[in-house]
């Protein structure tokens, strides 16, 4: 059975698991425990084991029940973690627990823009929006999220291999925000051959294979006679 974001991550401590499965799941006095756990998630660069959706949703639910506890920086981190989750629905699940006032915050609003770019496969715009101009001193909305870039690239690579059979290396450079040398290393890592013209050949899979579509129309004899009769009347 395929794993989901609601499965217990291997890094979830017993203390947190007992809290999430017990009667104190939404006890506001436990908010600090879940906030500290989120900080530990953010410090773990592993893109698979560093995201505990159930714990983070429980924390957002506490904020929903207790608006005085709301910490916008914590919410920013929760959304940033969900943005690079292997399950694309995680971000929206978190979003459903946020008020309009919270979503109007500048950092939260920027994460919403990033979500739209990611869903629309506008990866070049995503990177530019996330890091801004070179002379922009404003902190990134993903500050404090260890392994964010690599987690994001993992998602993008999955979309590239599901969409293309061949793709220009220059296009991949923009999509994953890496220079030419780094993309060549990426090709070697994934065993993607690249020719002298900079065209990368990707492995065939069910998602990127061209499929013949055969459209069959079933017309009964009674319907056919009506069509012929109507044609004769024209």
């Amino acid at each position: 059975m395929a794993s989901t974001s609601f499965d217990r991550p291997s890094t979830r401590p017993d203390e947190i698991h007992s809290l999430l499965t017990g009667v104190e799941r939404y006890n506001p006095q436990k908010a600090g425990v879940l906030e500290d756990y989120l900080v530990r998630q953010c410090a773990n660069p592993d893109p698979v084991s560093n995201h505990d959706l159930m714990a983070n949703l429980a924390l957002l639910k506490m904020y929903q029940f207790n608006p005085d506890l709301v910490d916008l920086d914590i919410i920013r981190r929760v959304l940033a973690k969900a943005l690079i989750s292997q399950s694309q629905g995680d971000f929206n699940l978190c979003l459903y627990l946020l008020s309009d006032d919270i979503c109007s915050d500048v950092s939260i609003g920027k994460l919403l823009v990033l979500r739209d770019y990611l869903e629309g496969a506008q990866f070049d715009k995503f990177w530019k929006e996330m890091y801004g101009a070179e002379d922009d001193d404003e902190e990134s909305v993903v500050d404090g999220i260890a392994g964010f870039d690599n987690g994001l690239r993992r998602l993008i690579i999955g979309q590239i291999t599901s969409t293309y059979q061949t793709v220009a290396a220059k296009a991949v450079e923009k999509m994953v925000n890496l220079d030419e040398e780094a993309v060549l290393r990426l090709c070697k890592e994934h065993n993607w051959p690249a020719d002298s013209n900079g065209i990368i050949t990707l492995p065939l899979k069910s998602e990127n294979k061209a499929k013949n579509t055969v459209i069959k129309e079933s017309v009964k004899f009674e319907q056919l006679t009506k069509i012929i009769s109507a044609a004769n009347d024209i």
Side-chain angles (χ1 to χ4, degrees):
M1 183 181 296
S3 61
T4 71
S5 296
F6 289 101
D7 293 334
R8 178 181 180 178
S10 60
T11 52
R12 180 192 293 169
D14 291 338
E15 174 197 7
I16 299 296
H17 189 68
S18 297
L19 174 60
L20 296 177
T21 55
V23 296
E24 291 194 302
R25 178 170 180 165
Y26 300 126
N27 181 350
Q29 295 181 348
K30 299 294 183 180
V33 175
L34 291 179
E35 288 170 345
D36 290 343
Y37 178 44
L38 173 65
V39 172
R40 297 202 298 274
Q41 291 177 56
C42 294
N44 179 355
D46 185 337
V48 177
S49 66
N50 67 354
H51 177 52
D52 194 333
L53 177 65
M54 184 180 289
N56 297 340
L57 287 176
L59 179 56
L60 294 182
K61 197 71 175 177
M62 284 186 189
Y63 286 169
Q64 189 180 48
F65 291 152
N66 306 274
D68 56 305
L69 296 178
V70 168
D71 185 327
L72 288 174
D73 187 60
I74 289 292
I75 293 175
R76 173 189 68 82
R77 292 184 183 217
V78 169
L79 291 177
K81 295 290 294 177
L83 196 62
I84 56 171
S85 169
Q86 295 298 303
S87 176
Q88 295 183 349
D90 288 5
F91 188 94
N92 287 336
L93 286 174
C94 295
L95 194 61
Y96 295 148
L97 296 176
L98 304 182
S99 67
D100 291 341
D101 286 342
I102 291 175
C103 291
S104 66
D105 176 76
V106 174
S107 295
I108 306 303
K110 191 168 184 177
L111 284 165
L112 294 177
V113 172
L114 292 176
R115 185 274 312 269
D116 292 342
Y117 284 150
L118 193 57
E119 288 184 349
Q122 297 176 288
F123 306 128
D124 187 23
K125 289 184 178 180
F126 184 103
W127 293 107
K128 289 178 180 178
E129 177 70 23
M130 187 169 73
Y131 287 117
E134 292 183 1
D135 58 350
D136 190 351
D137 294 330
E138 183 181 349
E139 289 187 352
S140 167
V141 291
V142 299
D143 279 350
I145 313 296
F148 183 90
D149 286 10
N150 288 335
L152 176 61
R153 289 189 181 103
R154 179 174 178 167
L155 289 181
I156 294 174
I157 288 170
Q159 293 198 37
I160 291 172
T161 57
S162 295
T163 305
Y164 300 96
Q165 293 183 1
T166 59
V167 61
K170 289 293 184 184
V172 175
E173 289 175 23
K174 291 183 178 180
M175 286 188 276
V176 297
N177 197 37
L178 291 173
D179 60 24
E180 180 180 0
E181 186 177 344
V183 168
L184 289 176
R185 289 198 300 269
L186 188 68
C187 290
K188 290 181 180 179
E189 178 184 342
H190 292 276
N191 295 317
W192 298 341
D195 64 21
S196 57
N197 295 318
I199 301 299
I200 301 170
T201 301
L202 302 171
L204 291 178
K205 50 197 298 189
S206 59
E207 293 89 347
N208 68 0
K209 277 186 179 179
K211 299 179 179 67
N212 292 325
T213 302
V214 179
I215 301 176
K216 293 183 179 181
E217 294 186 4
S218 178
V219 181
K220 295 182 179 180
F221 181 75
E222 295 83 359
Q223 295 172 314
L224 184 60
T225 57
K226 290 180 180 179
I227 294 172
I228 296 173
S229 176
N232 290 332
D233 292 338
I234 296 175

